[in-house]
Amino acid sequence: MDDTNPTISLIHAARPPQPSALSNALVFGWRAVLKFKHIPEQLFDLVMTPIMFTLLFTFVFGGALSGSTAAYLQYFLPGILVQTVVFNSMYSGMGLSTDLGKGLFDRFRSLPIWSLSPFAGLMVGDILRHLIASLLILIIGIVLGYRPEAGIIGILEALLLLLIIGFGFGWIFLILGLVMRTPNTVMTMAFTGIMPLVFASNIMVDPATMPSMLRAFVEVNPVSLTTTAMRGLMAGNITGVQLGAALIAPVLLTITLAPLTLWLYRRRK
C-alpha cells in the first residue's frame, strides 16, 4: 500500500505592488484627520485664539487707528488671517515632538514607505487647521461688516495663498520638532521667533508712522509681504510684484528646509 501523501499544488500569490509616495502620504494624512476626531479639545485653542484676536483688536484699536471699527476691519482682517496661519504652523512641530517622544517615528522609520510620508501627514493636519481657523475668521469678519471687494474669487485665491504660506513656514517648526526635546520647548522657541515677525509687520498698523529703521525691516518682513498680497487679493487690486514677493519666503523655505528635515530625521537615533 502506497502511503505517499498526494501532491499538493501550491499557488504562489503575486507580491502586492509597492505603495506609491502619494498613497503613503494619504494614509498619514488620514491619521491627521483622525486626530481631530479622537482629540476634539485641540480645536479649542485653534478656534478661540483667532476669534479673540479679531474681536479685541477690532473693537479696542479700530476706532483709535482708523476712526471706526468698520474701516479698521477692512485693513486688519486679511492680516489676522496671515497671523493665524503663521501661529498655527507651529503645531506641526509640537505634534512631531510628541510623536517622537512616544517612539512612533522610530516605528515609521522601519517601515518600507516614502521617507517624508509622516511629515506629509503633519502637513495635512496643518492644512485642516489653517482652513478651519481662516473660515471662522472670515465668517466673523463678514458678520462684523468686512466686505471683500474681489468677492468669492478673491477669498478662494487668498485661502490658497494662506495654505502655501502655511506649508512653507511649517518646515521651520518641523525642524524645531526634530531638534528640541519636548513639545513645550518647541512652542517656546517657536513663539520667540514668531512674535517679532508678526508684531513688527503691517498686520495691525500702517508702517508709514514707524521709525525709519523699524519701517525698513517691516517692509521686507515676509509676514508683511504676505499681508500686502492678501489685501490685494481680497480687494481685487493685487499686482504680480506683490504676489511674487509673498511667494518668495514659502518657496525658499520649502526648497532649503525640506531636504534638511529629511536629513535630520534620518540621522536621529
Side-chain angles (χ1 to χ4, degrees):
M1 180 177 183
D2 186 8
D3 294 329
T4 305
N5 292 330
T7 302
I8 302 176
S9 60
L10 299 177
I11 301 175
H12 297 281
R15 182 188 294 264
Q18 183 83 9
S20 65
L22 177 60
S23 175
N24 294 155
L26 290 176
V27 170
F28 280 92
W30 181 243
R31 175 176 179 263
V33 174
L34 292 178
K35 281 187 176 181
F36 285 94
K37 175 183 177 182
H38 295 297
I39 315 175
E41 57 268 22
Q42 68 176 303
L43 293 174
F44 180 79
D45 181 55
L46 170 68
V47 170
M48 291 307 299
T49 301
I51 290 177
M52 288 192 297
F53 264 108
T54 304
L55 296 177
L56 284 174
F57 277 88
T58 299
F59 290 105
V60 174
F61 298 108
L65 294 173
S66 299
S68 70
T69 56
Y72 184 64
L73 191 63
Q74 291 296 125
Y75 179 87
F76 174 61
L77 192 127
I80 197 65
L81 287 171
V82 176
Q83 174 182 307
T84 300
V85 166
V86 173
F87 276 127
N88 283 346
S89 296
M90 71 179 181
Y91 284 101
S92 58
M94 294 172 62
L96 173 58
S97 181
T98 300
D99 287 343
L100 287 171
K102 294 178 178 178
L104 288 175
F105 269 68
D106 292 331
R107 174 57 178 158
F108 296 156
R109 190 159 47 182
S110 69
L111 298 175
I113 58 175
W114 180 42
S115 300
L116 285 177
S117 297
F119 301 104
L122 293 170
M123 291 295 187
V124 169
D126 270 358
I127 290 173
L128 290 175
R129 280 187 287 267
H130 298 332
L131 286 176
I132 292 170
S134 298
L135 290 174
L136 279 172
I137 291 173
L138 278 170
I139 292 171
I140 292 172
I142 290 172
V143 169
L144 294 177
Y146 176 75
R147 295 295 180 265
E149 297 177 16
I152 188 66
I153 300 299
I155 290 176
L156 293 176
E157 291 173 344
L159 288 175
L160 178 59
L161 177 60
L162 285 175
L163 295 182
I164 294 172
I165 298 302
F167 181 82
F169 274 88
W171 294 108
I172 300 174
F173 306 111
L174 287 178
I175 289 178
L176 287 178
L178 285 168
V179 300
M180 298 296 164
R181 294 183 179 274
T182 66
N184 287 337
T185 308
V186 173
M187 182 175 65
T188 301
M189 293 298 296
F191 269 113
T192 302
I194 288 174
M195 297 295 276
L197 287 176
V198 168
F199 290 102
S201 71
N202 63 354
I203 287 178
M204 299 162 193
V205 296
D206 188 341
T209 59
M210 297 178 183
S212 57
M213 291 185 64
L214 178 58
R215 185 169 67 250
F217 171 78
V218 170
E219 289 174 351
V220 297
N221 182 348
V223 173
S224 296
L225 297 175
T226 302
T227 302
T228 299
M230 285 289 295
R231 291 184 178 122
L233 285 171
M234 299 182 84
N237 56 11
I238 191 171
T239 66
V241 173
Q242 291 173 339
L243 182 59
L247 293 174
I248 290 174
V251 170
L252 288 179
L253 288 172
T254 301
I255 292 173
T256 57
L257 298 187
L260 179 59
T261 300
L262 183 56
W263 180 75
L264 289 171
Y265 174 55
R266 286 174 172 169
R267 286 185 71 250
R268 186 180 176 88
K269 296 180 180 180

